[in-house]
Amino acid sequence: MPTPESLRYKNKLYYLLLAAGGLVALAGLYAVHMMEEHGHIISGMNNQIVWGLPHVFAIFLIVAASGVLNVASIGSVFGKAVYKARAPLASLLSIAMLSGGLTVLMLDLGRPDRIIVAATNYNSTSVFAWNVVLYSGMFSLVIVYLWTMMERRMHVWSKPAGFAVFAWRFVLTTGTGLIFAFLTARQAYGSALLPPMFIVLSFAWGLAVFHLVQTTIYAWNEKTLDPAILRRKKNLLGVFVIASLYMVAVYHMTNLYFAHQVAFENFILHEGGTYTMMFWIGYVLFGNAVPLGLIYAPGLGDTRCVMMASALVVLGGFAFLYVFIIGGQAFPLNIFPGYVASSSFGDGQIAHYEPSIYEIMLGFGGLAIAFIITTVSVRVLNFMPQDKAYIAD
Amino acid sequence: MSEINNDRRQFMGKALAMAGIAIAPGVMLYDVKAGNDGKPASSKVRWGMLIDSNQCKEGCDDCVTACSTENGLSGGKKSTDSQWIRKVELKDMRSGRSLNLPMMCQHCEQPPCVDVCPTQASFKRADGIVLVDKHRCIGCRYCMMACPYKARSFVHEELHDQNPEVPRGKGTVESCTLCVHRVDRGESPACMEACAKAGHNAILFGDLNDPESEISKRIRTVATSQIRADLGLNPGIRYQGM
Ligand code: SF4
Ligand code: SF4
């Protein structure tokens, strides 16, 4: 039992954390205000790198928001008790991350004040416009799903709702992948592999975020996770990490196979400076190899190792997206095949990009929104996984 | 006192701007959809250009300057500055032959920028000119990602000294309009005029659908190509000497 002192201390800590989150979110809003006032000139983005750090944050949050629902799906759709007990927390995290990601995406627009135009002048051929529908649909579905789980008399509906969420999130992550897959003229994108790759990445990132939050909640409530559950969950994380590494490898290998993509791959994998470093050291080494070691190496794999592995998978995700989104634009578009091109508009040159403090503030602002939603909800409602005494499956 | 006045002015300005945003799409629609002499743009016409890279002189950028003057661009060359038209220097990797050409929006018949635009701000007129409705653009920059020719620029900062005939706006995307305001008056684009004035005559503007137009005759008689024709977008800008 927690002592009164520890309760008081926790109360204080809770408000302190909330205030810190609030401050970061406010800083994000301030950045938005500055960008509105001065224009995107104060960001690091330019006419060559048109999507920058805010998009890295936004896409991570959105992809992870879809992936974290895996935990819920395994519970609802496949009826595993351990996961079922965790479905509410997974749904909450999904809503929180989706909110954070979409806020960043929206506030980075050149004219966020016109966001409503996207709804009134809907262009049905635009993948972006589809995604607006996918995101809002997901939002509503997950809320309904949560309701069916938390309200006793709605329990009967939780399975169908779980199924709907399960299907929807596949479509949603496919939609996110398609945003890039449809950019056929760009060497880095325009590949049919992108939607499945994003789906697999979402599993790993979502589960990693889930582990981090779950471990924190358990620690906060001075409980320890049943080692049997931990073992099962960490093995799943390991499998997802291996699968995503495989998808990323296939994506780069197929690119290497197409002669016209070799120069691009050479840039990312070999000569791209920061991007190459980020890919190999940030993503492959720290985002995959080290977590796998922490999970599987004999003698490792306890709570602390899994926590560390999860944190690294998340950081690796950011590194991956940075290389994918920004590195992918930095490499010059091949407008004149067979020619060496140069111009005042960056033709034939590696584009330069350095994120500005405002973009960093905006990105972290999105994380802060997700953090605040999670922290407040976890305290107000009961999201602590309730495991049965005996776990069978 | 002056501060208060300033605040008030700013508020009034904002209120007016809001009202402007509210009514502007209607006005704009009329504006952009109109063609010659106020008549709607006709689908019988397909405006295009033929650019002869043999005539385009190395080091000359009269077309670029003329574009900036005509459309109220700063003419700056920073990576955040708008460049609707740029001079590209090319070197053939096999033969080593060098050539020069101006590059701008290719006014694709199947424009990816229009397909991806979530708000229909990017649109193609009946006469083939691809434009951005700056009152509708939300500045998502997806069209810039989708354009295979890197033809578009994003307005990164406050604008000054605008040409009232060429509406632009901070936070929106823009690109070559083929000088639609001039074309609708029966004139030719500023770049073509400047190139002719310099005596190079590398740019020819005209109606690709009219078999009797100069541009159609030239396309029938000389070898021309479209850039990245493999993408199947059928650009309205053609090149000679590539
Ligand atoms: S060149 Fe680019 S901006 Fe112009 S119509 Fe084609 S895709 Fe659109
Ligand atoms: S930036 Fe503007 S014109 Fe381009 S896709 Fe977005 S809304 Fe459409």
Side-chain angles (χ1 to χ4, degrees):
Chain A
M1 272 305 274
T3 58
E5 287 95 85
S6 92
L7 265 183
R8 221 166 315 151
Y9 164 73
K10 269 198 201 146
N11 242 338
K12 245 192 224 148
L13 188 61
Y14 168 76
Y15 285 110
L16 210 71
L17 280 174
L18 210 58
L23 271 180
V24 177
L26 271 180
L29 281 182
Y30 173 72
V32 173
H33 167 75
M34 291 298 279
M35 278 214 253
E36 279 271 272
E37 186 91 0
H38 300 275
H40 277 60
I41 188 92
I42 60 167
S43 77
M45 292 175 270
N46 51 52
N47 284 323
Q48 312 301 328
I49 308 284
V50 304
W51 288 349
L53 201 62
H55 301 81
V56 172
F57 277 83
I59 292 177
F60 179 86
L61 284 169
I62 291 169
V63 170
S66 146
V68 75
L69 283 171
N70 222 26
V71 176
S73 299
I74 299 177
S76 274
V77 179
F78 304 108
K80 304 256 183 207
V82 173
Y83 291 95
K84 219 174 195 162
R86 282 159 182 77
L89 180 58
S91 306
L92 168 68
L93 284 175
S94 175
I95 290 178
M97 287 195 282
L98 202 58
S99 312
L102 289 183
T103 308
V104 174
L105 210 56
M106 202 182 79
L107 292 180
D108 173 73
L109 293 176
R111 297 295 306 256
D113 52 319
R114 287 184 187 164
I115 187 67
I116 206 73
V117 178
T120 52
N121 289 300
Y122 193 78
N123 176 9
S124 54
T125 61
S126 167
V127 190
F128 247 26
W130 302 349
N131 275 288
V132 173
V133 174
L134 288 175
Y135 297 149
S136 24
M138 168 110 146
F139 217 91
S140 334
L141 265 182
V142 176
I143 287 181
V144 169
Y145 179 46
L146 250 183
W147 183 45
T148 63
M149 286 187 291
M150 303 206 104
E151 172 83 49
R152 202 164 268 283
R153 69 198 156 82
M154 295 299 293
H155 274 359
V156 280
W157 289 102
S158 97
K159 202 165 173 124
F163 259 110
V165 167
F166 175 68
W168 197 275
R169 92 195 146 83
F170 268 99
V171 182
L172 179 121
T173 320
T174 305
T176 310
L178 283 181
I179 291 179
F180 294 97
F182 279 4
L183 301 174
T184 42
R186 293 203 175 240
Q187 292 91 320
Y189 315 121
S191 156
L193 268 177
L194 295 182
M197 182 176 90
F198 268 93
I199 288 182
V200 176
L201 285 171
S202 83
F203 290 176
W205 300 347
L207 191 57
V209 171
F210 185 86
H211 271 307
L212 286 176
V213 176
Q214 175 177 257
T215 314
T216 315
I217 293 180
Y218 270 79
W220 185 273
N221 290 314
E222 288 162 33
K223 300 239 160 64
T224 40
L225 185 61
D226 182 337
I229 300 178
L230 178 73
R231 201 171 330 113
R232 211 174 306 157
K233 303 282 297 295
K234 95 179 179 195
N235 285 343
L236 190 64
L237 182 64
V239 170
F240 287 164
V241 168
I242 293 171
S244 57
L245 196 57
Y246 167 77
M247 285 305 287
V248 172
V250 172
Y251 158 72
H252 285 293
M253 302 280 259
T254 42
N255 266 352
L256 275 172
Y257 186 78
F258 297 119
H260 59 276
Q261 302 284 54
V262 172
F264 166 70
E265 285 301 326
N266 187 40
F267 171 68
I268 294 292
L269 303 179
H270 184 49
E271 289 176 334
T274 325
Y275 303 112
T276 305
M277 285 267 289
M278 269 209 175
F279 181 79
W280 289 111
I281 299 184
Y283 177 66
V284 177
L285 183 63
F286 285 106
N288 290 279
V290 177
L292 284 177
L294 284 167
I295 291 170
Y296 289 123
L300 297 178
D302 59 7
T303 310
R304 191 143 1 113
C305 288
V306 177
M307 181 91 163
M308 195 127 92
S310 302
L312 284 174
V313 168
V314 169
L315 289 178
F318 275 91
F320 173 82
L321 285 176
Y322 192 91
V323 175
F324 180 75
I325 297 176
I326 296 165
Q329 294 171 82
F331 188 75
L333 256 184
N334 192 10
I335 305 177
F336 307 95
Y339 292 93
V340 181
S342 63
S343 78
S344 61
F345 202 60
D347 287 288
Q349 279 161 29
I350 306 292
H352 179 74
Y353 171 76
E354 227 173 83
S356 81
I357 182 75
Y358 299 104
E359 291 170 82
I360 298 173
M361 279 155 70
L362 176 56
F364 276 97
L367 289 185
I369 289 175
F371 173 78
I372 293 171
I373 294 179
T374 312
T375 326
V376 173
S377 313
V378 164
R379 190 170 166 109
V380 177
L381 298 165
N382 184 15
F383 282 99
M384 175 89 187
Q386 308 287 341
D387 285 314
K388 298 202 180 77
Y390 170 70
I391 296 151
D393 24 38
Chain B
M1 182 64 207
S2 74
E3 239 183 353
I4 293 174
N5 261 341
N6 234 342
D7 273 350
R8 221 173 57 192
R9 213 169 297 141
Q10 267 184 9
F11 170 73
M12 295 279 283
K14 276 194 183 139
L16 277 177
M18 295 290 267
I21 289 169
I23 55 166
V27 177
M28 188 65 189
L29 228 55
Y30 172 74
D31 228 29
V32 290
K33 298 267 154 71
N36 237 336
D37 314 320
K39 288 200 285 287
S42 158
S43 58
K44 291 200 195 86
V45 180
R46 166 113 200 258
W47 295 119
M49 276 183 175
L50 176 60
I51 294 171
D52 185 353
S53 65
N54 298 316
Q55 305 297 324
C56 179
K57 285 285 160 305
E58 196 183 330
C60 165
D61 67 351
D62 286 9
C63 53
V64 180
T65 316
C67 176
S68 301
T69 314
E70 180 67 35
N71 297 301
L73 310 179
S74 72
K77 301 276 195 293
K78 289 196 305 289
S79 60
T80 44
D81 288 323
S82 284
Q83 296 187 42
W84 293 9
I85 180 171
R86 60 190 192 264
K87 274 291 292 279
V88 181
E89 280 163 40
L90 296 175
K91 199 162 179 189
D92 194 321
M93 280 187 221
R94 289 215 192 106
S95 65
R97 182 175 75 107
S98 306
L99 58 152
N100 270 269
L101 48 85
M103 186 73 199
M104 69 290 265
C105 170
Q106 304 287 296
H107 298 277
C108 310
E109 191 190 349
Q110 313 283 349
C113 57
V114 173
D115 288 342
V116 302
C117 176
T119 61
Q120 299 178 328
S122 284
F123 68 100
K124 190 179 69 164
R125 290 209 322 182
D127 57 7
I129 301 182
V130 176
L131 298 170
V132 180
D133 180 344
K134 76 138 190 163
H135 299 290
R136 201 178 263 192
C137 172
I138 56 174
C140 69
R141 285 107 75 205
Y142 197 18
C143 54
M144 298 177 77
M145 290 292 275
C147 171
Y149 305 102
K150 234 169 48 173
R152 295 203 150 175
S153 297
F154 179 65
V155 183
H156 284 82
E157 49 193 323
E158 206 63 65
L159 300 167
H160 307 283
D161 305 324
Q162 291 305 291
N163 173 359
E165 278 187 307
V166 185
R168 303 175 60 209
K170 181 179 83 178
T172 65
V173 168
E174 53 185 23
S175 54
C176 156
T177 64
L178 267 186
C179 282
V180 67
H181 56 292
R182 294 169 59 110
V183 172
D184 283 347
R185 284 199 302 256
E187 296 166 26
S188 51
C191 54
M192 165 169 164
E193 199 178 275
C195 186
K197 205 152 148 206
H200 305 316
N201 289 311
I203 305 176
L204 176 62
F205 169 82
D207 178 5
L208 296 166
N209 280 352
D210 173 7
E212 293 311 309
S213 68
E214 169 99 29
I215 188 168
S216 297
K217 284 187 204 153
R218 277 265 288 281
I219 288 173
R220 274 202 300 277
T221 51
V222 297
T224 65
S225 56
Q226 294 164 320
I227 296 177
R228 289 297 311 263
D230 57 316
L231 296 171
L233 309 174
N234 191 16
I237 313 290
R238 291 178 158 268
Y239 288 84
Q240 186 181 341
M242 277 195 72

